[in-house]
């Protein structure tokens, strides 16, 4: 299929064009000021040499891309999670691949990486399952508008992923190398669970457009199919309920059967934790794959599972103890499953 639109300009290409435009503007200003082509070119070369020398000296003293000052300078502190999402939804074309023939290829599964603080602020306003669904719908619309090619009859997925490496107020769009299984049967066959930090919807079904809550807390999912390559009505599926997960903290019981449930002190989470300085607004997510509950910690203070710090997604079992923070005074939840 030939691509008949304009090839999208990716982030790296935009930066290169902006740099070239900046250099041309500086050269033009020097030319107007000096009135000499040779003098303006020499001054431009001198400025470039000085700038390169400054960069070399800064790197020699450890001021690289990963330095906290550079990381802070790259942030957009005036944006909250809602603003970041709004900007990201307009740039889904950044993940398209341009073939030598000029056509576009679109991945079926995309990760929208955001800073954990931005995700927390977003989760306080709207359920993340709705965010995933709306993002998948917007991505499908972009694929259709760009006439990009995707695998036929495969749902388009967009997953919000917490990534501390992303500066606050910014986002990163990446193709998901290993999308999650699309059915509970595939989960039971040993399919991989969600990636670390992913906010999924339902028990193993793809994140998709059209998510709506049932009265008992379940969700139904209408996969966001690419309009450019599919036809007919979308199939409506209903996520199977997971075993009951209960967290008993200071005598208070919070429970859920919905995979993707969040735990924290925010009033918008599914598993309410005590108001404590060590507990984040959204401290962790619990997903159920193949009948097993797994925890992914998002809070700044971390968490201990049976006394061991959690750094990646980990299975939780009946009788486990989760301490919500590294301090000895942090609240502890007993895990009861079933």
């Amino acid at each position: 299929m030939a691509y008949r639109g304009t090839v999208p300009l990716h982030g790296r290409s935009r930066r290169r064009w902006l740099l070239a435009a900046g250099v041309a503007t500086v050269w033009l200003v020097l030319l107007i000021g000096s009135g000499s082509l040779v003098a303006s070119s020499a001054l431009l070369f001198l400025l470039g040499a000085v700038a390169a020398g400054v960069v070399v000296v800064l790197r020699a003293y450890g001021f690289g891309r990963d330095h906290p000052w550079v990381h802070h300078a790259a942030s957009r502190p005036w944006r909250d999670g809602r603003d970041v999402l709004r900007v990201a939804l307009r740039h889904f074309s950044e993940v398209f691949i341009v073939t030598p023939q000029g056509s576009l290829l679109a991945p079926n599964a995309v990760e929208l990486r955001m800073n954990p603080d931005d995700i927390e602020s977003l989760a306080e306003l709207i359920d993340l399952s709705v965010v995933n669904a709306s993002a998948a719908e917007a991505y499908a619309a972009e694929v259709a508008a760009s006439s990009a090619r995707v695998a036929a009859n495969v749902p388009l997925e967009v997953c919000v992923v917490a990534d501390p490496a992303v500066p606050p107020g910014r986002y990163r769009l990446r193709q998901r190398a290993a999308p999650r299984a699309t059915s509970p049967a595939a989960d039971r066959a040993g399919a991989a669970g969600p990636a670390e930090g992913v906010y999924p919807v339902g028990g193993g079904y793809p994140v998709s457009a059209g998510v709506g809550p049932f009265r008992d807390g379940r969700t139904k999912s209408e996969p966001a199919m690419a309009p450019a390559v599919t036809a007919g009505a979308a199939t409506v599926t209903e996520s199977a309920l997971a075993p009951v997960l209960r967290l008993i903290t200071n005598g208070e019981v919070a429970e859920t059967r919905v995979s993707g449930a969040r735990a924290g002190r925010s009033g918008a989470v599914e598993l309410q934790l005590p108001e404590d300085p060590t507990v984040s607004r959204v401290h962790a997510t619990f997903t159920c794959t193949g009948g097993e509950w797994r925890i992914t910690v998002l809070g700044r203070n971390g968490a201990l599972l049976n006394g061991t710090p959690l750094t990646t997604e980990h299975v939780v079992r009946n009788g486990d103890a989760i301490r919500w923070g590294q301090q000895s005074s942090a609240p502890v939840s007993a895990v009861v499953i079933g």
Side-chain angles (χ1 to χ4, degrees):
M1 177 179 65
Y3 179 61
R4 296 183 293 273
T6 303
V7 175
L9 196 62
H10 296 279
R12 182 175 299 178
S13 299
R14 280 198 299 268
R15 288 192 294 270
R16 290 174 178 173
W17 279 107
L18 288 174
L19 178 61
V23 171
T25 302
V26 172
W27 180 82
L28 184 60
V29 170
L30 293 175
L31 178 62
I32 296 174
S34 64
S36 170
L37 182 63
V38 175
S40 61
S41 300
L43 287 173
L44 182 63
F45 178 79
L46 179 61
L47 289 175
V50 171
V54 170
V55 171
V56 171
V57 171
L58 289 176
R59 288 187 175 180
Y61 282 90
F63 287 88
R65 180 178 297 180
D66 297 329
H67 194 276
W69 289 5
V70 178
H71 196 72
H72 179 72
S75 67
R76 300 292 186 270
W78 58 87
R79 291 179 183 168
D80 59 10
R82 180 172 49 184
D83 297 329
V84 176
L85 177 65
R86 187 182 300 115
V87 174
L89 292 182
R90 298 198 300 263
H91 292 85
F92 275 125
S93 60
E94 293 178 0
V95 298
F96 292 168
I97 300 173
V98 183
T99 67
Q101 293 76 24
S103 61
L104 293 181
L105 301 179
N108 296 99
V110 175
E111 289 181 353
L112 171 53
R113 293 181 170 270
M114 297 170 56
N115 186 273
D117 290 341
D118 290 333
I119 291 182
E120 283 192 19
S121 66
L122 187 62
E124 289 188 338
L125 299 174
I126 185 172
D127 190 274
L128 291 175
S129 63
V130 179
V131 173
N132 286 333
S134 300
E137 193 173 58
Y139 180 53
E142 181 67 24
V143 169
S146 302
S147 299
R149 290 186 296 174
V150 295
N153 300 320
V154 177
L156 298 181
E157 302 181 55
V158 177
C159 297
V160 176
V161 178
D163 188 351
V166 178
R170 303 297 291 268
Y171 71 90
R172 289 177 186 167
L173 290 170
R174 296 286 187 270
Q175 176 181 354
R176 285 194 65 197
R180 288 176 291 112
T182 56
S183 69
D187 286 337
R188 289 193 297 268
E196 179 182 357
V198 172
Y199 291 83
V201 181
Y205 286 89
V207 179
S208 55
V211 174
F214 289 98
R215 290 187 178 181
D216 60 359
R218 293 176 291 166
T219 59
K220 70 177 181 179
S221 167
E222 299 175 1
M225 306 299 292
V229 295
T230 59
T235 302
V236 179
T237 58
E238 181 177 323
S239 299
L241 291 179
V244 177
L245 170 68
R246 295 184 179 90
L247 299 180
I248 304 176
T249 316
N250 298 336
E252 299 292 330
V253 179
E255 67 178 50
T256 185
R257 297 184 68 179
V258 178
S259 181
R262 300 158 298 169
R265 57 179 170 83
S266 170
V269 301
E270 291 76 23
L271 295 166
Q272 188 73 45
L273 297 177
E275 288 284 344
D276 190 277
T278 65
V279 180
S280 300
R281 290 173 295 179
V282 180
H283 203 114
T285 58
F286 288 86
T287 57
C288 188
T289 304
E292 286 188 328
W293 282 99
R294 299 173 178 269
I295 182 175
T296 301
V297 177
L298 304 173
R300 291 181 175 179
N301 294 320
L304 304 177
L305 179 62
N306 301 325
T308 302
L310 290 172
T311 56
T312 60
E313 182 183 76
H314 202 284
V315 175
V316 292
R317 307 187 187 281
N318 193 37
D320 283 348
I322 303 173
R323 183 180 298 277
W324 303 103
Q326 306 291 334
Q327 298 86 344
S328 59
S329 59
V332 178
S333 296
V335 177
V336 179
I337 299 177

